[in-house]
Amino acid sequence: MIGPKLLLRLDLQYFNGEKTEKPTPQKLQDARKKGQVAKSPDLSPAFVLVAVFGVLMIFGSSMYDSFLRIMRESLTTYTTWQVTQDNLSVITMQILREAAKIVGPILGIVLVIGLAVNYMQVGVLFTTEPLMMKLEKLNPIQGAKRIFALRSLVELLKSLLKISAGILVAYMVLWDVKEEVVRLSLTSLESVLSFAAMEAVKVGLYVGVLLIILGAFDFFYQKYEHTKNLRMSKQDIKDEYKKSEGDPLIKSKIKERQRQMAMRRMMQEVPKADVIITNPTHFAVAIQYEAGTMTAPTVIAKGQDYVALKIKEIAKKNGVITMENKPLARALFSQVEIGQQIPEDMFKAVAEVLAYVYKLQGKVK
């Protein structure tokens, strides 16, 4: 007769290392130190594009006036000056001052927006890890795998989508003004330049807003991909926990060392005791009472078996009286910790012991 089959439920992750668990905070922190963060490279340029064209829309006329001043001074005034070191210095400073009025607002807004968008995505992060030389990146086989990987295909599709969307937006903007474009040949050059500038700003703003929307979707995709790449197996989580908590053998040695130090400190207190109450062989409890500083007798040391024997040996060497009281010794050992005062229900029994000890020592009559 065949006995019943024994069915065992086994988690195969422990054997194949399948990474299905979310990354732990420690894993995310380690990846961040290496520069591995969820970040969309499209968001910052998109916001910068919108900001730049916004600046052009607001300050475009003043920038245009500054450009005209540079051209006017260059063609009418500077050409009449003699070529000397002082004149060249003056010309250079005036041109730089006017040029700063043109490019200064743009450079400033690009710097501020770029830093702000990156801060919103990853916060404050400075690391040189991505700049370090890694020989595995020179492996042509691995390089080919990266080129034909799914991630590369996704990035290609994203680029094609952005280009197509930009072309579509530009086409729609120009299609709306197609009749005005036809009539440009009948207008002045200034009107043509003004019209072209306005439409270029409009295209830039629309394309920038569209790229911001696509960049937001890309950011959430990058976040998902980042979390997916950092997934851990259950064994990884166990190993990380062991690493963070420390090696069990080392931890046990540390605890053993701590116990030994606590034991030495406790034994150093035994000579200060007024009496040692014993079982007499299994338990030993050291009691101390100082009327001026203590409100009640205090347990300063206690031990069982071998530790009790050591307490009694030290007490004997230092002339501390040892008294046998089995019920009291057991009660004190089990209910009172080292450094604690004895509870009220034991006051009478301990007081009787101390009174007897003090009588033996001649402290009371």
Side-chain angles (χ1 to χ4, degrees):
M1 180 176 179
I2 300 175
K5 295 182 178 180
L6 179 63
L7 299 179
L8 297 176
R9 297 177 62 86
L10 298 177
D11 193 338
L12 298 181
Q13 287 192 69
Y14 289 106
F15 298 94
N16 58 18
E18 185 179 356
K19 301 182 182 296
T20 58
E21 304 299 315
K22 292 182 179 180
T24 61
Q26 182 63 41
K27 178 79 170 182
L28 294 173
Q29 184 65 26
D30 292 341
R32 181 179 176 84
K33 291 179 181 178
K34 298 178 182 179
Q36 301 174 6
V37 292
K39 174 187 174 183
S40 172
D42 300 331
L43 269 181
S44 184
F47 275 98
V48 167
L49 183 64
V50 172
V52 167
F53 279 101
V55 170
L56 291 175
M57 178 178 288
I58 298 172
F59 301 104
S61 59
S62 62
M63 294 178 181
Y64 177 70
D65 293 338
S66 297
F67 178 74
L68 287 181
R69 280 195 297 271
I70 293 175
M71 298 301 296
R72 188 180 300 113
E73 293 295 327
S74 299
L75 297 175
T76 59
T77 304
Y78 299 150
T79 55
T80 62
W81 291 11
Q82 292 183 357
V83 181
T84 63
Q85 183 176 357
D86 294 337
N87 289 341
L88 288 177
S89 177
V90 172
I91 292 172
T92 302
M93 292 304 298
Q94 291 182 354
I95 292 177
L96 288 177
R97 191 180 300 112
E98 294 297 326
K101 296 178 181 179
I102 299 174
V103 300
I106 295 178
L107 294 179
I109 200 69
V110 167
L111 178 62
V112 172
I113 295 297
L115 292 176
V117 174
N118 280 283
Y119 176 78
M120 288 189 295
Q121 291 188 85
V122 301
V124 179
L125 176 62
F126 179 78
T127 177
T128 58
E129 184 72 19
L131 303 177
M132 297 180 64
M133 183 67 179
K134 296 181 180 179
L135 296 179
E136 59 267 19
K137 291 184 178 180
L138 303 178
N139 190 336
I141 299 177
Q142 296 296 328
K145 288 182 179 180
R146 286 193 295 268
I147 293 175
F148 297 103
L150 179 61
R151 184 179 181 86
S152 300
L153 178 60
V154 172
E155 294 297 327
L156 175 62
L157 294 177
K158 284 165 49 183
S159 299
L160 294 176
L161 177 62
K162 288 185 289 185
I163 294 173
S164 302
I167 294 174
L168 178 61
V169 169
Y171 173 78
M172 293 175 63
V173 171
L174 295 177
W175 181 259
D176 290 339
V177 295
K178 60 182 182 298
E179 296 179 358
E180 298 180 27
V181 172
V182 174
R183 292 196 297 267
L184 287 178
S185 59
L186 304 177
T187 60
S188 63
L189 178 60
E190 185 177 357
S191 299
V192 173
L193 293 177
S194 177
F195 174 82
M198 183 58 65
E199 295 305 315
V201 169
K202 190 184 298 183
V203 170
L205 289 174
Y206 288 165
V207 171
V209 172
L210 179 62
L211 291 179
I212 289 175
I213 297 174
L214 295 177
F217 283 105
D218 180 59
F219 173 73
F220 289 109
Y221 170 76
Q222 296 292 343
K223 197 170 184 179
Y224 163 78
E225 193 72 14
H226 177 69
T227 304
K228 180 181 177 181
N229 292 334
L230 293 179
R231 281 179 180 174
M232 307 170 68
S233 65
K234 291 186 177 180
Q235 186 61 41
D236 292 337
I237 296 177
K238 289 178 63 179
D239 293 341
E240 182 186 276
Y241 177 78
K242 289 181 180 179
K243 184 178 179 181
S244 62
E245 291 296 317
D247 187 275
L249 181 60
I250 296 177
K251 288 176 64 178
S252 64
K253 290 183 178 180
I254 292 174
K255 289 183 179 179
E256 179 63 26
R257 181 65 59 86
Q258 291 174 343
R259 284 194 295 268
Q260 292 176 358
M261 293 175 63
M263 181 68 66
R264 284 196 293 268
R265 288 195 298 268
M266 184 182 71
M267 293 301 180
Q268 291 172 358
E269 295 294 318
V270 172
K272 302 177 184 179
D274 292 311
V275 65
I276 308 296
I277 302 175
T278 65
N279 190 33
T281 56
H282 296 295
F283 301 104
V285 180
I287 302 294
Q288 181 187 21
Y289 179 63
E290 295 180 1
T293 58
M294 296 181 181
T295 58
T298 303
V299 174
I300 61 173
K302 68 176 184 177
Q304 184 177 6
D305 297 332
Y306 174 76
V307 178
L309 180 62
K310 295 295 293 182
I311 291 175
K312 288 187 288 185
E313 289 179 356
I314 296 175
K316 185 177 181 180
K317 290 180 181 179
N318 290 273
V320 180
I321 296 176
T322 300
M323 290 196 60
E324 179 181 340
N325 189 324
K326 295 181 180 180
L328 183 58
R330 286 180 176 272
L332 289 171
F333 182 85
S334 61
Q335 299 180 28
V336 186
E337 298 297 327
I338 298 173
Q340 290 184 350
Q341 295 179 348
I342 62 170
E344 293 183 4
D345 57 346
M346 299 183 187
F347 275 0
K348 184 178 180 181
V350 174
E352 292 176 353
V353 172
L354 290 174
Y356 179 74
V357 171
Y358 293 158
K359 187 175 180 180
L360 290 178
Q361 295 175 342
K363 294 182 180 181
V364 294
K365 296 183 180 180

